[in-house]
């Protein structure tokens, strides 16, 4: 086998995502305390979708209910295989690609803790961090189409909460419709002051609301 041949599990050219058929050695890392392998995989996809360090967006997505910024940062370090995450800030990357690269670095100058390369030199300047971010963007960042296509799981509790919220909003809309019809189409004190005006008759209004998808119905004001 020649030195230029490519392993069957790897495609030719640059790689910025690890796949399930890659060598098992590429997936060897220790999850942080309080994390399951499934949760770690969800975080990996969330980092690819929202970018490293965008914890607020990950929390808002409800894909990792109960996880804090500190917990996500610690698990990100484990996947990257290094303590510092500054040089990847905001980048849509597969952290395990970096982790695989770091796992191959050897030398007496390398110190590790929990599998992560520990900072030993002087603190990086802002200019150096910006340079590294730009370099890593060119080397490892996914395309916008790739990260937008990533779908994150929604926990059952979050699904139920969203369903209940939409049902309550729908009931509120239906209550306002009933009150409007009872008052003969005149505004009441309980109607929203921000409700937009409409030329629809009462019967047409109800038919229009019922024809809408659940989420859209809940946003219709009368």
């Amino acid at each position: 086998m020649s030195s230029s041949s490519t392993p069957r599990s790897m495609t030719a050219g640059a790689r910025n995502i690890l796949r399930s058929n890659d060598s098992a050695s590429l997936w060897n890392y220790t999850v942080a305390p309080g994390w399951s392998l499934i949760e770690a995989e969800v975080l990996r996809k969330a980092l690819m979708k929202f970018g490293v360090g965008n914890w607020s967006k990950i929390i808002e997505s409800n894909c990792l209910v109960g996880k804090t910024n500190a917990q996500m940062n610690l698990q990100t370090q484990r996947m990257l295989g290094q303590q510092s995450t500054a040089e990847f800030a905001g980048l849509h990357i597969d952290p395990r690609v970096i982790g695989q690269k770091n796992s191959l670095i050897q030398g007496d100058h390398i110190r590790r803790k929990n599998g992560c390369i520990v900072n030993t030199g002087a603190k990086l300047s802002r200019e150096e961090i910006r340079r590294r971010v730009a370099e890593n963007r060119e080397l490892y960042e996914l395309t916008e189409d790739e990260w937008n296509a990533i779908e994150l799981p929604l926990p059952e509790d979050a699904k139920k909460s969203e369903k209940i919220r939409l049902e309550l909003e729908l009931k509120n809309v239906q209550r306002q419709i009933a009150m409007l019809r009872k008052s003969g189409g005149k505004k009441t004190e309980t109607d929203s002051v921000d409700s937009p005006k409409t030329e629809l008759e009462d019967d047409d209004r109800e038919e229009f609301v019922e024809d809408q998808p659940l989420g859209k119905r809940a946003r219709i004001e009368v």
Side-chain angles (χ1 to χ4, degrees):
M1 183 175 181
S2 65
S3 58
S4 60
S5 59
T6 304
R8 293 177 62 86
S9 64
M10 303 286 280
T11 58
R15 285 291 300 278
N16 57 5
I17 301 176
L18 293 186
R19 298 175 176 84
S20 58
N21 64 334
D22 288 335
S23 170
S25 64
L26 303 185
W27 304 87
N28 290 338
Y29 73 96
T30 304
V31 295
W35 287 80
S36 68
L37 288 173
I38 293 176
E39 290 174 328
E41 180 62 14
V42 172
L43 176 60
R44 173 195 172 220
K45 291 182 178 180
L47 293 171
M48 293 162 67
K49 185 173 184 68
F50 298 118
V52 175
N54 284 330
W55 313 128
S56 61
K57 289 185 177 180
I58 295 176
I59 291 173
E60 289 171 4
S61 73
N62 283 322
C63 66
L64 287 168
V65 176
K67 296 300 184 185
T68 65
N69 294 2
Q71 288 173 319
M72 289 188 285
N73 185 65
L74 180 59
Q75 180 56 34
T76 299
Q77 291 175 337
R78 297 283 183 111
M79 286 189 284
L80 289 172
Q82 65 182 68
Q83 187 179 62
S84 175
T85 63
E87 62 190 272
F88 303 104
L91 299 185
H92 302 257
I93 62 170
D94 183 345
R96 288 182 177 170
V97 171
I98 312 302
Q100 165 64 6
K101 171 179 169 288
N102 282 331
S103 71
L104 300 176
I105 298 177
Q106 303 293 330
D108 295 337
H109 64 292
I110 299 298
R111 292 182 54 201
R112 297 182 188 274
K113 182 178 180 180
N114 295 321
C116 299
I117 296 177
V118 179
N119 301 333
T120 56
K123 184 178 180 180
L124 297 178
S125 65
R126 292 183 179 179
E127 291 74 17
E128 177 62 16
I129 291 175
R130 282 196 290 267
R131 186 193 70 78
R132 293 193 183 190
V133 168
E135 180 180 10
N136 289 328
R137 178 178 291 110
E138 290 295 321
L139 290 173
Y140 304 113
E141 187 161 57
L142 311 180
T143 66
E144 187 171 354
D145 287 342
E146 286 177 319
W147 80 60
N148 281 331
I150 295 174
E151 294 185 1
L152 299 172
L154 192 63
E156 288 302 316
D157 288 345
K159 290 181 182 178
K160 291 177 181 178
S161 297
E162 180 68 5
K163 181 181 178 181
I164 292 172
R165 184 185 67 80
L166 292 175
E167 288 176 345
L168 289 174
E169 289 186 0
L170 178 58
K171 287 181 180 180
N172 184 50
V173 170
Q174 292 172 332
R175 180 183 61 81
Q176 292 185 51
I177 291 173
M179 293 179 66
L180 186 62
R181 296 186 68 180
K182 186 176 180 180
S183 65
K186 298 179 180 179
K187 258 189 176 297
T188 66
E189 294 182 356
T190 57
D191 290 331
S192 171
V193 295
D194 297 324
S195 299
K197 294 181 179 180
T198 177
E199 300 299 326
L200 293 177
E201 296 295 334
D202 291 340
D203 292 340
D204 293 335
R205 183 195 306 277
E206 186 171 7
E207 181 179 350
F208 174 75
V209 172
E210 291 299 328
D211 283 343
Q212 304 306 308
L214 181 61
K216 190 171 182 179
R217 292 184 215 167
R219 292 193 294 271
I220 297 173
E221 299 289 343
V222 296

